[in-house]
Every structure is written in C-alpha cells, then in structure tokens.
Amino acid sequence: MAKHQLKVGLAQIAPVWLNRDATLDKVISYINEAAAQNVELIAFGEALVPGYPFWIALTDGARWDAADQKEIHAHYMDQAVQIEAGHLNGVCAAANKGGVALYLGIIERAKDRGGHSLYCTMVYINKLGEICSIHRKLQPTYEERLTWSPGDGHGLRVHDLGAFTVGGLNCWENWMPLPRAALYGMGEDLHVAIWPGSKRNTHDITRHMAKEGRSFVMSVSSLMRPADFPKSTPYLHEINEGIGNVEYLADGGSCLSGPNGEWVIEPQVGEEGLYTAVIDHARVREERQNFDPVGHYSRPDVTKLVVDRRR
C-alpha cells in the first residue's frame, strides 16, 4: 500500500450488554481480525463497553428515587470501564500485537472525579497500544443525562496516523459546529464519528461532515437486538415489555464517506461485521483545492474559536 493510503475498518457489533469483560473479549477478537486483514485503524460504536443505557427509555427511567432505576444504575456502574484499574490492558495489548490503532466507545467510571460518576467516553489507542486521548462526551443527549455526566474539552485532540490526522466525536457531538471546528483547526482530515447505532443518525450527517471538512468521515455504530440482551440482565422482563415487537433498538448504519460526500462504504444495516476500505490522502488534498474550512477559506480576523482543554 502506498504511504499516503490507509486501510480502515468499521466494527459494527453488538455488546454483550452490561457485561464489561465479555464485551472486551469481543472487541479484542475484532482487533485480531482487523490485524489479520492488515487494517491500520479500527473503530467501534459509542458506549459499546458495556453498552448503551436502553433501559431508561424502556422502563420509565425518569421516575424520581425509583428502586429499580437505582439498582440497574449501580449494576451499570459496576460494569463500567475504569481505565486506572487496567480494564483496557487487554485491548492495548491486542493493538500493540496487531499494529492496529483504534477508537473505542466506553462508559468510563472516572477515578479522577471520585469514582462514582459515569462518562460516555471515546478512547484513542495507537498502534503501540498506548492510550493517547480520552474524550468525555461534552453533552449527553436527552435520557442519557439520567445516567451520564457532562464531559470536558480535555480529549478534543487529533493524532497522526500515516499520512492522515485523525480525530473523533461521540454521537450528537457531531452535530455541534464548534467541536467539529476545533478538530478541523488541529488538522483533522479523517474524522471518526461513533454512535450507539441506527442509519437514521448516520445517513445524512456523515456526508455533510465530509463535505464540510473536506475529509474522510467514518461513522461507526453498534447493533442491538432484543435477542442480544443476556438472560442475566437486571429487570429483563420489564425491559422486554418496553421493547414490544421492535426488531432493532439499534440497527447499525456504519458507513464511510469520501471528502466529496460520496459513499466509500454505504450504511450497513442489521448485520454484525468488520467493513474495510483503503482510503487515499490524495483525495483530501484534491478537495481542499476549492474549500478548506480552517485554511484558505477561513477568516480568523472575523471569527475565532477558543478551546478549554482543562479536565
């Protein structure tokens, strides 16, 4: 492969819901598969480890001081990822062994904030297996606010990967113009957007961001079907009653757009899998000829962006 090319992989998988260790084992198996296919960057969906908090919408989760909501939240906290405790060591080792960089969506139980609050976090691990950035979602969306805490700008960072500069955001952060602009300003030309799942989220904005940033954009989603809930899930009966006859809670929709907004990988719906493509940095340079949002088509004398990266 030419030095200006990069092979990327979109890992569209379902978690072993609310089971951190089993889901991490599944993540590692996909990293190994990616390495066998010479993938250099693999990305996984938002909140994949140990899973998205679907129960909130399905069990009237906004009830105040409800015993069932407290119990399942405590279970969620128990299964969350604490990086300081070494929960990602196996993932880092797999990345190092396979020479694969990755973005992974986790629910982080952050020790630096007392150890009892949860963050929707996007972790970047490089090819050496080193954790290089930990981005906590700036603003949880709707019912997510009942279980996740708001993050900060500390993890708004980009990373060199071959000819590319890669960065990423969680879910509806990708709708926020200023965080996008912050990443563009640091030289991002490969954007990774991670989602809990669903084509309705990824279909339009993926191509919009690609055209806006004149960058490649990977949208990577999880899957979630009623059959994916383990039998050991707390309040499983109540959750299933809330689901009804719905086929998917999250149907995927993982996709990859080129910097002109054309599909490289169209949205993939309903199937687990590792979807790969080779992308060429020359396409970025070609599309920047007529538009560069933070370069020759910007007016920093008129508008400025300030980023606070304090934890």
Side-chain angles (χ1 to χ4, degrees), residues 191-272:
H191 181 79
V192 179
I194 62 174
W195 309 83
S198 296
K199 180 181 176 181
R200 68 176 184 275
N201 284 326
T202 64
H203 185 271
D204 296 330
I205 193 171
T206 302
R207 298 173 68 199
H208 164 76
M209 287 189 293
K211 289 181 177 181
E212 176 186 68
R214 293 301 200 270
S215 302
F216 284 94
V217 177
M218 299 167 57
S219 274
V220 186
S221 296
S222 303
L223 271 181
M224 199 70 201
R225 301 150 293 202
D228 291 321
F229 288 109
K231 295 285 191 284
S232 59
T233 301
Y235 294 96
L236 180 59
H237 175 73
E238 289 81 0
I239 290 171
N240 281 330
E241 282 191 335
I243 293 172
N245 295 320
V246 173
E247 185 177 5
Y248 296 101
L249 288 94
D251 65 10
S254 299
C255 51
L256 170 62
S257 175
N260 61 349
E262 292 185 356
W263 290 124
V264 179
I265 300 174
E266 293 190 16
Q268 302 296 307
V269 174
E271 297 291 336
E272 285 193 303

Side-chain angles (χ1 to χ4, degrees), residues 56 59-71 73 145-147:
I56 297 173
T59 60
D60 193 15
R63 286 173 289 122
W64 173 248
D65 211 28
D68 59 342
Q69 300 302 314
K70 289 182 176 182
E71 182 179 339
H73 179 82
R145 300 176 196 180
L146 293 171
T147 189

Side-chain angles (χ1 to χ4, degrees), residues 81-89 106 108-109 121 123 131 134:
V81 173
Q82 191 164 83
I83 294 171
E84 302 89 342
H87 291 159
L88 295 183
N89 287 356
I106 65 170
E108 182 194 7
R109 183 179 176 180
T121 295
V123 179
I131 296 176
I134 301 168

